[in-house]
Amino acid sequence: MSELRIGAVAYDPKVVTIWEGIGTYLREEAQCPNEVQLFLSYPAQVRAVLEGRIDLAWNTNLAYLQCEAWSGGACRPWGMRDTDLGWTSHLVAPKGSRVRTLGDLRGAKVALGSRDSGQAAILPVFFLGREGLREGRDYQSLRFDTDAGKHGDTGTSEVEVLKAVLDGRADAGVVSDPFWKGLTAKGLLRESSMQVVWTSPTYSHCMFTGRPGLPESVGLSFGKALRGMRFDRPAHRAILEAEGLREWLPPHAEGYDDLRQAAREQGFFDRPQVRTIPAA
Amino acid sequence: MLAADLEIRTEDRDFATGALVELLEAFRRLPEGGVLAVVGRAPLLRRDLAMWSKLTGHGLVEVAETPQGEVRCAIRKGEVPPDTTDPAGPGERLWIYTNFHCNLSCDYCCVRSSPLAPPRSLDRARIRELVREAPVLGFRAVYLTGGEPFLRPDIGEVLADCVASLPTTVLTNGTLLAGPRGAALRDLPRDRLVLQVSLDTPTPEGHDRHRGAGSWERAREGIRRARELGYRVRVAATLPDARSREEMDRWLSGQGFAPEDRLVRPVARRGLAQVGLPLARGELVPEVTLTERGVYWHPVGADDEDFRVLDHVGTLEEAVAAVQGAWNDERLTSRRLAEVFHCA
């Protein structure tokens, strides 16, 4: 196999450690020569995939769907984590507050995460719309675009959502299920002090995305190599835990339909503007 | 107890049974920088408020018990901007409260010192043992404070012990330096001792209103005397508003005090102060502080239980470990929050 160019977004310093580990595993144990390239944002990584500057990208759900949409389906999915299946988002409010059902959101202020976060903004706005609640008409939003370009990966916007609900700037807010469970599991919040008003339908999260024209044999070999990582091997386990999974899976493409529709409606598939730099 | 702008009584309710909503309703009415007191009997209320404060950044600035046995938590609305003016990190400065009695009764004293306060002194031998340990543990300077250190008959010997170990600064109201107590300064090395004298305003009125009639003149005389003796003098002013702080800083500059010898800061709402900036322990970088009652997080709260990290003074190594342990606990929340999210 010729050297694969794999992209990932460095949303946190730990990404370097994780990808040194995965790159070394692929090269030394799975005979998959590779070079990992780190990007500072998903828009930059998506451009690199579409222009064929990298072969595979470790993408958020939105970045995967943008690659798919802008390549006319030529960018295909090749692998995901077990933990990317079955995500949900929760609308949460202080226990005892007036917001107890979705109907109570009328006239309320709802905190949302970064505008390009599938879990904390795009899908919640879409799902609430499906329940007859439109942003700006039925409820006011308080948006925290703290990690724009990172598609919500840093989690900082969800922290801001939680803070806004906890100190009364918002009546309710939307956070993802992993974030919510992490808060209570780590003892940062007593679950009974808040109420989950509503939980979204399930959706899927990250996906390895191939460049247009990536040979099927290469994509399949890469997916098979990834799935060779074993949680019961200490060296692999450290990497898998850092990346938040127990097992790599073949791509399950069916959990993205809602986000595909939501992203289209909210303008995330509009062609990115090309900025030209004027001559001096 | 800390003065509050608003107070709510949550009775036997905690966050799971309605107290959070009550808190938020009051919080919306509270101005930025204001203090809300939450008084209640629920066993989990204190824990709920501590977690809430760490998550939201609004400081839990005091936890006290009322005479009726209820818990009273004071919360300041808004985060404290980080202090970027002080280059010292944790562990560089060792603070020692030599004594708590004072010849002045300043109405914003953060440790409640006055002529009526019990002396509460650390004896000279203990201070000597502690400062001898300090250089090995990485401290770079000793700061002596009180109370008024120059009320101690043995202040000259205490200062001599300190400067023998590390460069030393002694905080004083300056009023005793021109009198017989100033004799303690006669034979000390000028390059190892700095006198930090409190002087709040360019003219006597503002200073004397808070510290007592005639205290400004005596402090000025003390500064003059210390400079005559060849000591470096740093002036520390404590002022409630930014405008008066700017005015004082300009005046000190005109009096020939270099920027590093002008310390103009806001009033901390601690101790006797009923106004000023309420501060929570976790919002301050810790500086190991010793009093005869134990080890404290920072000198500004050296008479407050919420700042005490150890109830005795043993070795300095033990004191450093206690502060470091408390510092690690404080930072745990933000570390856990960062770990909550595992994504791409």
Side-chain angles (χ1 to χ4, degrees):
Chain A
M1 191 188 288
S2 60
E3 187 174 88
L4 272 184
R5 298 159 301 169
I6 304 171
V9 169
Y11 65 89
D12 184 280
K14 75 177 181 184
V15 170
V16 175
T17 312
I18 291 169
W19 279 96
E20 277 180 351
I22 296 175
T24 303
Y25 157 77
L26 288 170
R27 191 164 45 249
E28 294 181 2
E29 295 186 52
Q31 286 71 54
C32 178
N34 67 86
E35 178 61 33
V36 175
Q37 296 182 23
L38 295 180
F39 294 84
L40 286 178
S41 74
Y42 284 103
Q45 178 163 282
V46 166
R47 278 198 300 275
V49 175
L50 293 171
E51 292 167 11
R53 286 185 279 120
I54 54 175
D55 299 304
L56 285 150
W58 182 221
N59 271 338
T60 58
N61 41 14
L62 176 64
Y64 155 52
L65 294 175
Q66 286 176 323
C67 288
E68 179 194 74
W70 289 332
S71 68
C75 288
R76 294 172 56 194
W78 294 107
M80 66 199 301
R81 303 171 299 184
D82 52 354
T83 48
D84 285 316
L85 298 170
W87 275 50
T88 54
S89 297
H90 303 298
L91 181 78
V92 297
K95 187 70 167 281
S97 84
R98 72 174 187 85
V99 179
R100 291 171 194 192
T101 67
L102 281 187
D104 298 329
L105 281 190
R106 291 187 193 283
K109 189 170 274 185
V110 179
L112 297 169
S114 286
R115 60 185 162 76
D116 58 9
S117 165
Q119 64 269 17
I122 303 172
L123 280 166
V125 167
F126 172 76
F127 287 134
L128 290 175
R130 215 151 68 178
E131 301 287 338
L133 293 160
R134 196 188 300 166
E135 183 185 10
R137 183 192 69 183
D138 301 301
Y139 64 91
Q140 299 302 313
S141 59
L142 179 61
R143 285 178 176 263
F144 293 98
D145 292 324
T146 53
D147 53 2
K150 302 285 199 296
H151 292 188
D153 272 2
T154 65
T156 56
S157 70
E158 290 182 62
V159 171
E160 292 303 322
V161 166
L162 182 76
K163 285 182 179 177
V165 175
L166 279 175
D167 70 8
R169 282 174 290 148
D171 300 300
V174 184
V175 293
S176 65
D177 182 64
F179 180 81
W180 183 245
K181 283 187 176 144
L183 281 175
T184 47
K186 287 185 182 288
L188 292 163
L189 187 72
R190 202 151 60 90
E191 197 170 1
S192 54
S193 64
M194 301 281 281
Q195 54 191 338
V196 175
V197 176
W198 166 84
T199 296
S200 76
T202 57
Y203 55 89
S204 294
H205 207 263
C206 299
M207 181 67 86
F208 273 108
T209 314
R211 66 170 165 81
L214 184 76
E216 181 157 6
S217 60
V218 174
L220 289 171
S221 299
F222 171 75
K224 189 176 170 196
L226 263 187
R227 294 195 296 279
M229 295 186 82
R230 298 279 302 274
F231 200 72
D232 55 7
R233 287 193 199 155
H236 295 182
R237 183 174 180 153
I239 303 164
L240 295 171
E241 281 185 330
E243 183 51 30
L245 73 154
R246 290 179 70 92
E247 189 184 3
W248 292 105
L249 299 179
H252 292 253
E254 65 277 10
Y256 297 87
D257 291 344
D258 287 325
L259 182 60
R260 195 177 281 113
Q261 191 181 338
R264 186 176 299 116
E265 287 177 9
Q266 294 175 33
F268 286 96
F269 292 158
D270 296 346
R271 278 282 174 187
Q273 287 188 341
V274 177
R275 286 199 305 174
T276 54
I277 301 170
Chain B
M1 277 183 272
L2 195 71
D5 303 291
L6 267 179
E7 181 171 300
I8 57 168
R9 305 189 73 82
T10 54
E11 309 299 344
D12 55 1
R13 295 179 294 281
D14 58 28
F15 275 20
T17 49
L20 176 56
V21 172
E22 293 169 55
L23 182 153
L24 296 183
E25 282 167 4
F27 215 62
R28 288 190 183 107
R29 303 200 305 272
L30 193 69
E32 194 72 11
V35 172
L36 170 70
V38 183
V39 184
R41 292 186 302 270
L44 287 176
L45 181 65
R46 180 180 175 160
R47 189 180 145 215
D48 281 343
L49 285 166
M51 289 165 80
W52 180 88
S53 164
K54 285 185 177 178
L55 279 171
T56 60
H58 302 288
L60 177 60
V61 290
E62 187 187 67
V63 177
E65 197 170 304
T66 67
Q68 292 74 38
E70 302 156 308
V71 67
R72 181 186 187 271
C73 298
I75 298 161
R76 185 210 53 244
K77 185 172 184 176
E79 296 186 32
V80 173
D83 181 3
T84 54
T85 60
D86 191 341
E92 292 191 4
R93 301 198 285 208
L94 173 62
W95 288 85
I96 297 175
Y97 271 80
T98 55
N99 54 287
F100 278 81
H101 59 311
C102 188
N103 57 325
L104 299 184
S105 300
C106 307
D107 61 11
Y108 46 56
C109 181
C110 64
V111 291
R112 304 175 179 86
S113 289
S114 77
L116 299 176
R120 293 178 49 201
S121 304
L122 264 173
D123 68 55
R124 181 192 166 192
R126 289 294 291 125
I127 295 175
R128 186 171 52 206
E129 288 167 21
L130 292 162
V131 295
R132 277 183 182 166
E133 272 189 84
V136 181
L137 292 169
F139 288 97
R140 297 170 64 179
V142 172
Y143 284 69
L144 299 179
T145 185
E148 172 48 54
F150 282 87
L151 282 178
R152 286 180 67 122
D154 61 353
I155 187 62
E157 289 82 5
V158 170
L159 289 171
D161 292 337
C162 291
V163 297
S165 283
L166 282 171
T168 299
T169 297
V170 58
L171 278 63
T172 170
N173 59 39
T175 58
L176 302 175
L177 300 182
R181 300 282 185 185
L185 293 174
R186 220 169 19 222
D187 301 322
L188 294 167
R190 274 43 173 178
D191 61 341
R192 299 281 281 179
L193 181 66
V194 176
L195 287 114
Q196 181 172 311
V197 182
S198 302
L199 191 76
D200 291 341
T201 49
T203 54
E205 297 76 40
H207 181 98
D208 287 0
R209 193 181 320 129
H210 295 288
R211 296 179 181 267
S215 58
W216 187 89
E217 282 294 350
R218 291 167 68 199
R220 286 279 284 157
E221 183 58 18
I223 291 170
R224 191 191 58 75
R225 177 73 181 135
R227 284 176 134 183
E228 252 176 27
L229 287 170
Y231 286 99
R232 179 179 157 200
V233 174
R234 182 186 304 128
V235 173
T238 308
L239 288 158
D241 65 278
R243 197 170 148 192
S244 53
R245 287 199 291 274
E246 283 167 23
E247 185 190 354
M248 182 60 179
D249 192 61
R250 272 196 305 275
W251 182 77
L252 286 172
S253 176
Q255 297 289 308
F257 289 94
E260 61 271 24
D261 290 331
R262 308 193 302 260
L263 182 61
V264 185
R265 63 208 166 172
V267 176
R269 201 186 302 189
R270 283 259 153 200
L272 298 174
Q274 296 295 302
V275 296
L277 184 66
L279 290 165
R281 165 176 121 164
E283 294 166 341
L284 297 165
V285 175
E287 300 194 24
V288 177
T289 302
L290 311 174
T291 82
E292 103 296 354
R293 282 189 183 158
V295 181
Y296 289 77
W297 179 270
H298 190 277
V300 81
D303 193 39
D304 293 324
E305 277 307 302
D306 56 333
F307 271 54
R308 185 154 70 161
V309 297
L310 202 61
D311 64 1
H312 62 276
V313 179
T315 63
L316 187 56
E317 191 172 3
E318 184 189 17
V320 171
V323 173
Q324 189 64 52
W327 178 230
N328 289 340
D329 289 345
E330 290 284 351
R331 287 185 299 180
L332 209 53
T333 301
S334 52
R335 205 160 59 230
R336 281 181 180 158
L337 210 46
E339 287 168 1
V340 159
F341 212 77
H342 278 296
C343 197

